[in-house]
C-alpha cells in the first residue's frame, strides 16, 4: 500500500472506528466508512492523461476508438476539426500522426499538417488558443502548428510538444487539419504538483451530506491550488513571445512552487499566498507545504537588504522588470510566513529565516513611525491586486500590517528562548499592533456607514472598499461584537445576484477579496452569511457554462462574464482571464477552519469553534508538517432554522476532534450554554492534543 494511502486509511480508522462513534446509532449520525469525499476529487490518478471525451467535431473529421486502449483515433481531412475534453490538465502533449501527404511541393511547402489550440473555457474552444497575453482582438497565442516530416511518410510520426511550448492549464484541445492526417495516442504528460506520483491522493478532506455544492467548492479549491503548483523552469518567458507563447523561464528558487495561476501568469504573487498557501496545506499536506516553501524562499532571495522590503512579485513578471513595489504585498508575504511556520512547526526554518522576518517587520514599523505619532502606515507603494484608490493611511494596508505584526509577535513569543531576542521583539510588535488598532478605528471608522473608509483623505472618505473592510473584520480590527456585526451586515450592500461587486474596482467581482469576505463573516460569527456567499459566488463559478466546473476563476465582471479587469490592464480580452487561480480558494479554508471549526492558530496551538450555520453534519481532516493528524466530525441535533443573528431554538452539538500529541487548544463555543469534554463538564482551560469528545447543550445551533 502506498504510504500516502496508508496514512489516509489510518486517519479514517482513527476518526471512524466503532469505538470513536460520536453519538449513538439512533441519532443517524454514524460515520460513513465509504469515504464519500473521494468522489469529489477531480485530480487524475496518473501523470499520463488521456482525453476524457469528445467536445466537438466539425468539417471533414471522423473520431473512432482504439481497440487496444480505448483512446481516440482522429481521421481529419483539410478543414476538419476535433475538440477534446481532458478534464483539466497542464503540461506537454505527445501523439502519433501519419499522413499520405508529406511531400514538400511548392503548393504546400509552408503548410503544416495540423495545429493544436488550447482553452480553459468552452467559450474559447476554437481553431486558436485562449490567451496568455492580453489583446483586445483576443487572439494573442494563436495555435501551435505541427508538420509531419517527409521521412515519416511510411511510419507514424511520434510528436511531442517543444518544452518551451509548455501549456500550464487547459481543459480543451482543438486539433485542426490543413492536410489529410490521422492522429492517435494523444496524451498529456501532467506537469502540475510534480511531487505527487498519484495526484488524486490528497492528504486532506472535507464533506457534508447536507450540501453537495459546499463539498464541491472545497474540492475545487484544493484542485485549483494543485494545478497552480508548478515544476521548475515553467514560468512565462519575458519579453513575451508573440504570436504564440513560451513558458520555460526560471521561477526563482527552483522547486515545485505555488504560483498565481495555471495558465498564466505562472509566477509567485505573494498576495495570493495568504489564501492559496492555506488551501494547499489543508488539501495536499506535504506537497502543498513544499510549494509554499519555494515560493517564500524566492521572496526572501530578492528581499531588499537595505530596507527589508519584500518583492511585489516574482522575477518572471512585468511588474518585477519595471521595479514595481507594493506595501500590501509586503505584509501579505509576512502573513504567509507566519502561516507556514505554524503549519510546519519547523524550528530550523524559522531560525534560518528569522533575519528576513525581522527585517520585514522592521520595514512596517518604520512606516508607522513615519506617521508622526498617528500609529498608521502611509501607503507609498500602491501596487496591489488591481484595485483603484489607495494611498494615504489605507485601510487594507493597515489591516494587513496589524495582522502581520500581531501574528509575528505570537510566533516570536512562542519561539523565544534565553539565547535570542524574540521575547523583546514580541513585546515591541504587540505594542505597535495595539497602537495601530486604536488609530485605525479613530481615523478610518465611519459610524454612519458602519464601515471603514479607504483612507483619511476627502476622496478616501467617499470609498468604503470591500478589501479594507473585509480584512478589518477578518483580522479583528473591530473593537466590539456589535461593531463586527454591523460591519458584516454593511458588506452585504455590495452583493448582487452572483456576489459582491467591489467598490474599489467597479464592475468587478473579485473571488480573492470575496474569499477574505467569506472568512470575515465567520470572524463576526455570522456563518450563515459566509455560507450564503459561498453558495452564491462559488456556486456560480462552478456551474456557469463559461467555467471549467472543477477549478476557480481569477475574477469576473459584475454580470458574471470573463471580461475581468477589462479597463484595468486586461484590454477587454476575456480569453486572457485565468480559470484556475488559487487566490480564489478562500472557502476551502473557511469550510475546514470555520464551519467544522478546528483551526491551527499558533505554534502547536489550535482552536475548536464550529460554526455550522444551517448544516447538521460536517467533517474535515488534514495532516500538519510534522505528520500530525488533525480532524473533526461535528453533528448538530435539534434546534431550528435561525436567522442571520443566530436566533434558532436550542439544540445539541456533538463532536469528536483529533489533534497531534504535543499540541494544545481551546474550545470557543459561546452559543452553547453548557459544554462537556469526554463526559465531564468543562469550565475552561486548555486541552491537550489527542482524541477528544465534545458535547454542547442548550446551543443556538443555527447561529
Amino acid at each position: 500500500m502506498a504510504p500516502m494511502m496508508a496514512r489516509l486509511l489510518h486517519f479514517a480508522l482513527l476518526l471512524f472506528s466503532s469505538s470513536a462513534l460520536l453519538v449513538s446509532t439512533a441519532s443517524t449520525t454514524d460515520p460513513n466508512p465509504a469515504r464519500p469525499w473521494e468522489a469529489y476529487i477531480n485530480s487524475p490518478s496518473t501523470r499520463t492523461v488521456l482525453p476524457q471525451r469528445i467536445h466537438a467535431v466539425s468539417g471533414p473529421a471522423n473520431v473512432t476508438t482504439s481497440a487496444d486502449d480505448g483512446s481516440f483515433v482522429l481521421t481529419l481531412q483539410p478543414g476538419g476539426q476535433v475538440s477534446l475534453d481532458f478534464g483539466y490538465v497542464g503540461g506537454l502533449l505527445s501523439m502519433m500522426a501519419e499522413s499520405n501527404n508529406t511531400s514538400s511541393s511548392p503548393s504546400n511547402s509552408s503548410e503544416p499538417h495540423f495545429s493544436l489550440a488550447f482553452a480553459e473555457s468552452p467559450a474559447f474552444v476554437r481553431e486558436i488558443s485562449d490567451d496568455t497575453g492580453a489583446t483586445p482582438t483576443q487572439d494573442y497565442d494563436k495555435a501551435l502548428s505541427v508538420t509531419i516530416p517527409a521521412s515519416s511518410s511510411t511510419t507514424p510520426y511520434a510528436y511531442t510538444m517543444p518544452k518551451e511550448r509548455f501549456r500550464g492549464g487547459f481543459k480543451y484541445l482543438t486539433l485542426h487539419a490543413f492536410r489529410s492526417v490521422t492522429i492517435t495516442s494523444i496524451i498529456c504528460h501532467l506537469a502540475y504538483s510534480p511531487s505527487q506520483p498519484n495526484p488524486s491522493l490528497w492528504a486532506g478532506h472535507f464533506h457534508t451530506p447536507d450540501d453537495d455544492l459546499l463539498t464541491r467548492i472545497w474540492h475545487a479549491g484544493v484542485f485549483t491550488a494543485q494545478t497552480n503548483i508548478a515544476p521548475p523552469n515553467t514560468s512565462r518567458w519575458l519579453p513575451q513571445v508573440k504570436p504564440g507563447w513560451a513558458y520555460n523561464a526560471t521561477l526563482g528558487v527552483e522547486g515545485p512552487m505555488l504560483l498565481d495561476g495555471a495558465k498564466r501568469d505562472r509566477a509567485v504573487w505573494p498576495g495570493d499566498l495568504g489564501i492559496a498557501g492555506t488551501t494547499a496545506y489543508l488539501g495536499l499536506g506535504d506537497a502543498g507545504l513544499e510549494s509554499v516553501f519555494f515560493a517564500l524562499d524566492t521572496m526572501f532571495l530578492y528581499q531588499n537588504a537595505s530596507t527589508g522590503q519584500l518583492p511585489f512579485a516574482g522575477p518572471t513578471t512585468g511588474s518585477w522588470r519595471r521595479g514595481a513595489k507594493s506595501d500590501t504585498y509586503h505584509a501579505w508575504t509576512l502573513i504567509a510566513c507566519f502561516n507556514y511556520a505554524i503549519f510546519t512547526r519547523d524550528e530550523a526554518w524559522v531560525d534560518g529565516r528569522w533575519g528576513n522576518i525581522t527585517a520585514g517587520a522592521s520595514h512596517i514599523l518604520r512606516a508607522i513611525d513615519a506617521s508622526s505619532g498617528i500609529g498608521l502606515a502611509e501607503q507609498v507603494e500602491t501596487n496591489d491586486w488591481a484595485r483603484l484608490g489607495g494611498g494615504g493611511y489605507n485601510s487594507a494596508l493597515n489591516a494587513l500590517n496589524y495582522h502581520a505584526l500581531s501574528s509575528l509577535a505570537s510566533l516570536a513569543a512562542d519561539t523565544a528562548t534565553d539565547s535570542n531576542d524574540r521575547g523583546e521583539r514580541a513585546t515591541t510588535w504587540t505594542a505597535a499592533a495595539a497602537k495601530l488598532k486604536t488609530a485605525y478605528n479613530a481615523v478610518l471608522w465611519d459610524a454612519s456607514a458602519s464601515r471603514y473608509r479607504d483612507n483619511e483623505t476627502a476622496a478616501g472618505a467617499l470609498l468604503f472598499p470591500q478589501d479594507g473592510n473585509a480584512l478589518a473584520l477578518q483580522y479583528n480590527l473591530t473593537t466590539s461584537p456589535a461593531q463586527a456585526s454591523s460591519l458584516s451586515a454593511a458588506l452585504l450592500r455590495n452583493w448582487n445576484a452572483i456576489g459582491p461587486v467591489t467598490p474599489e474596482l467597479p464592475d468587478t467581482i473579485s473571488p480573492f477579496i470575496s474569499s477574505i469576505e467569506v472568512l470575515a463573516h465567520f470572524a463576526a460569527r455570522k456563518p450563515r452569511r459566509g455560507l450564503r456567499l459561498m453558495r452564491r459566488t462559488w456556486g456560480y463559478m462552478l456551474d456557469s457554462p463559461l467555467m471549467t466546473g472543477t477549478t476557480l476563476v481569477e475574477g469576473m465582471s459584475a454580470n458574471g462574464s470573463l471580461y475581468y479587469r477589462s479597463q484595468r490592464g486586461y484590454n477587454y480580452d476575456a480569453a486572457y482571464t485565468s480559470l484556475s487561480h488559487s487566490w480564489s480558494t478562500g472557502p476551502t479554508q473557511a469550510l475546514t477552519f470555520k464551519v467544522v471549526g478546528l483551526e491551527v492558530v499558533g505554534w502547536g496551538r489550535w482552536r475548536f469553534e464550529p460554526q455550522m450555520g444551517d448544516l447538521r453534519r460536517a467533517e474535515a481532516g488534514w495532516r500538519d508538517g510534522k505528520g500530525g493528524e488533525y480532524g473533526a466530525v461535528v453533528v448538530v441535533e435539534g434546534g431550528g432554522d435561525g436567522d442571520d443573528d443566530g436566533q434558532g431554538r436550542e439544540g445539541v452539538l456533538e463532536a469528536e476532534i483529533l489533534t497531534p500529541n504535543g499540541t494544545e487548544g481551546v474550545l470557543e463555543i459561546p452559543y452553547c450554554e453548557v459544554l462537556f469534554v469526554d463526559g465531564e463538564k468543562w469550565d475552561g482551560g486548555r486541552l491537550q492534543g489527542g482524541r477528544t469528545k465534545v458535547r454542547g447543550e442548550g446551543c443556538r445551533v443555527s447561529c
Side-chain angles (χ1 to χ4, degrees):
M1 181 180 294
M4 179 69 75
M5 180 62 77
R7 291 199 299 267
L8 289 172
L9 180 58
H10 173 62
F11 183 38
L13 291 173
L14 281 172
L15 279 182
F16 305 139
S17 64
S18 59
S19 63
L21 293 182
L22 299 178
V23 291
S24 67
T25 302
S27 69
T28 70
T29 55
D30 287 358
N32 188 339
R35 302 170 62 83
W37 52 84
E38 291 183 347
Y40 295 85
I41 295 175
N42 294 302
S43 309
S45 59
T46 176
R47 302 200 70 87
T48 52
V49 183
L50 303 179
Q52 295 180 0
R53 61 188 66 87
I54 302 296
H55 177 71
V57 178
S58 63
N62 184 51
V63 181
T64 58
T65 302
S66 168
D68 295 332
D69 58 6
S71 63
F72 296 121
V73 177
L74 281 55
T75 304
L76 308 175
Q77 300 302 319
Q81 183 169 294
V82 175
S83 298
L84 305 174
D85 183 344
F86 274 86
Y88 192 92
V89 293
L92 295 171
L93 294 176
S94 67
M95 61 198 71
M96 303 299 293
E98 54 185 321
S99 174
N100 58 11
N101 183 358
T102 59
S103 64
S104 56
S105 63
S107 62
N108 64 11
S109 60
S110 62
E111 187 173 57
H113 283 82
F114 62 98
S115 64
L116 307 175
F118 302 86
E120 293 182 297
S121 168
F124 294 104
V125 175
R126 52 187 180 167
E127 187 179 336
I128 62 173
S129 297
D130 57 16
D131 285 345
T132 60
T135 179
T137 52
Q138 302 189 47
D139 63 348
Y140 193 107
D141 284 33
K142 307 296 186 183
L144 177 59
S145 295
V146 180
T147 301
I148 300 173
S151 59
S152 297
S153 59
T154 59
T155 58
Y157 171 51
Y159 172 78
T160 300
M161 289 170 59
K163 288 184 178 180
E164 69 272 12
R165 291 305 193 104
F166 178 93
R167 197 76 183 185
F170 64 94
K171 179 175 172 65
Y172 302 101
L173 168 69
T174 296
L175 302 98
H176 181 89
F178 299 97
R179 304 194 224 177
S180 60
V181 64
T182 299
I183 305 170
T184 61
S185 302
I186 303 168
I187 296 172
C188 176
H189 300 273
L190 198 69
Y192 55 67
S193 200
S195 296
Q196 294 183 273
N198 181 344
S200 69
L201 293 181
W202 293 5
H205 74 272
F206 167 86
H207 183 259
T208 175
D210 303 323
D211 192 327
D212 180 73
L213 176 60
L214 293 179
T215 304
R216 289 174 58 209
I217 289 169
W218 189 94
H219 286 81
V222 176
F223 184 49
T224 298
Q226 185 182 49
T227 68
N228 290 186
I229 298 176
N233 302 308
T234 59
S235 192
R236 180 163 56 188
W237 184 267
L238 294 175
Q240 279 189 255
V241 173
K242 185 177 182 179
W245 66 93
Y247 278 82
N248 60 340
T250 300
L251 292 160
V253 178
E254 288 297 355
M257 193 179 301
L258 184 57
L259 308 181
D260 62 328
K263 181 182 74 171
R264 52 132 288 265
D265 296 335
R266 297 193 63 78
V268 179
W269 286 92
D272 306 22
L273 292 176
I275 296 292
T278 301
T279 300
Y281 159 64
L282 289 174
L284 303 175
D286 289 345
L289 290 170
E290 175 189 49
S291 72
V292 176
F293 170 91
F294 284 106
L296 289 176
D297 262 18
T298 296
M299 295 295 98
F300 290 145
L301 178 65
Y302 296 109
Q303 186 175 21
N304 188 302
S306 299
T307 67
Q309 186 166 35
L310 290 150
F312 175 37
T316 55
T317 61
S319 297
W320 170 274
R321 291 165 67 90
R322 293 190 299 271
K325 301 175 183 177
S326 170
D327 293 336
T328 53
Y329 275 40
H330 171 86
W332 272 120
T333 305
L334 294 176
I335 291 168
C337 289
F338 170 74
N339 291 341
Y340 181 83
I342 65 172
F343 295 161
T344 62
R345 290 182 285 151
D346 186 339
E347 295 180 34
W349 184 87
V350 173
D351 291 344
R353 279 77 176 173
W354 191 250
N356 302 91
I357 292 170
T358 55
S362 295
H363 180 80
I364 293 175
L365 293 178
R366 284 194 298 273
I368 293 172
D369 290 343
S371 68
S372 301
I374 292 175
L376 299 173
E378 183 177 0
Q379 188 175 28
V380 177
E381 304 291 351
T382 58
N383 292 297
D384 207 331
W385 60 270
R387 76 190 305 276
L388 301 173
Y393 298 128
N394 178 256
S395 55
L397 168 63
N398 281 284
L400 289 165
N401 283 345
Y402 173 80
H403 186 60
L405 289 173
S406 57
S407 60
L408 291 177
S410 166
L411 179 63
D414 287 340
T415 59
T417 67
D418 292 339
S419 60
N420 64 36
D421 65 348
R422 295 181 195 174
E424 183 179 342
R425 297 277 188 185
T427 300
T428 299
W429 296 343
T430 298
K435 184 177 180 180
L436 189 157
K437 181 173 180 176
T438 299
Y440 195 92
N441 284 278
V443 174
L444 298 173
W445 179 250
D446 186 330
S448 65
S450 294
R451 287 174 288 182
Y452 292 99
R453 306 175 183 93
D454 192 50
N455 57 52
E456 83 290 357
T457 67
L462 301 176
L463 176 62
F464 300 101
Q466 183 191 11
D467 61 0
N469 282 282
L471 286 164
L473 188 54
Q474 181 191 0
Y475 291 146
N476 192 33
L477 271 296
T478 53
T479 58
S480 69
Q483 185 189 18
S485 179
S486 66
L487 177 52
S488 171
L491 283 167
L492 306 186
R493 301 174 197 171
N494 297 326
W495 290 16
N496 71 8
I498 59 172
V501 181
T502 178
E504 61 269 36
L505 190 60
D507 191 37
T508 298
I509 293 174
S510 168
F512 173 42
I513 304 305
S514 294
S515 285
I516 298 166
E517 182 176 333
V518 166
L519 293 163
H521 291 302
F522 285 98
R525 290 179 170 151
K526 301 297 180 184
R528 282 183 167 242
R529 290 176 185 164
L531 292 173
R532 281 169 54 201
L533 180 50
M534 289 186 216
R535 290 163 175 150
R536 181 174 299 209
T537 301
W538 278 263
Y540 177 84
M541 289 161 61
L542 287 180
D543 292 338
S544 165
L546 297 173
M547 309 299 179
T548 68
T550 58
T551 59
L552 300 175
V553 69
E554 173 187 13
M556 306 177 286
S557 66
N559 67 1
S561 82
L562 295 178
Y563 284 92
Y564 170 67
R565 284 186 57 182
S566 285
Q567 300 181 64
R568 186 67 169 163
Y570 284 16
N571 297 322
Y572 293 90
D573 187 353
Y576 181 70
T577 299
S578 165
L579 268 68
S580 184
H581 230 69
S582 52
W583 75 355
S584 302
T585 63
T588 297
Q589 177 179 344
L591 288 165
T592 297
F593 280 171
K594 306 301 182 182
V595 174
V596 174
L598 183 59
E599 180 173 7
V600 180
V601 295
W603 189 271
R605 291 184 287 110
W606 45 267
R607 177 178 62 231
F608 183 55
E609 183 184 352
Q611 298 189 63
M612 296 282 281
D614 58 3
L615 302 180
R616 289 294 174 264
R617 187 182 191 282
E619 59 191 279
W622 72 96
R623 299 179 65 85
D624 73 2
K626 288 187 174 294
E629 294 167 334
Y630 286 91
V633 182
V634 183
V635 180
V636 171
E637 294 183 311
D641 290 333
D643 57 22
D644 271 354
D645 293 320
Q647 303 304 313
R649 298 191 303 274
E650 291 187 354
V652 174
L653 180 145
E654 296 268 8
E656 182 169 342
I657 60 176
L658 179 67
T659 53
N661 292 328
T663 65
E664 61 179 17
V666 296
L667 303 183
E668 292 187 12
I669 311 179
Y671 51 84
C672 293
E673 294 178 359
V674 182
L675 293 176
F676 297 88
V677 173
D678 293 330
E680 300 291 331
K681 186 176 179 181
W682 188 73
D683 294 320
R686 293 192 175 274
L687 300 174
Q688 299 305 305
R691 186 184 294 118
T692 304
K693 293 184 178 182
V694 177
R695 178 180 174 88
E697 296 180 353
C699 304
R700 291 178 289 112
V701 295
S702 296
C703 68

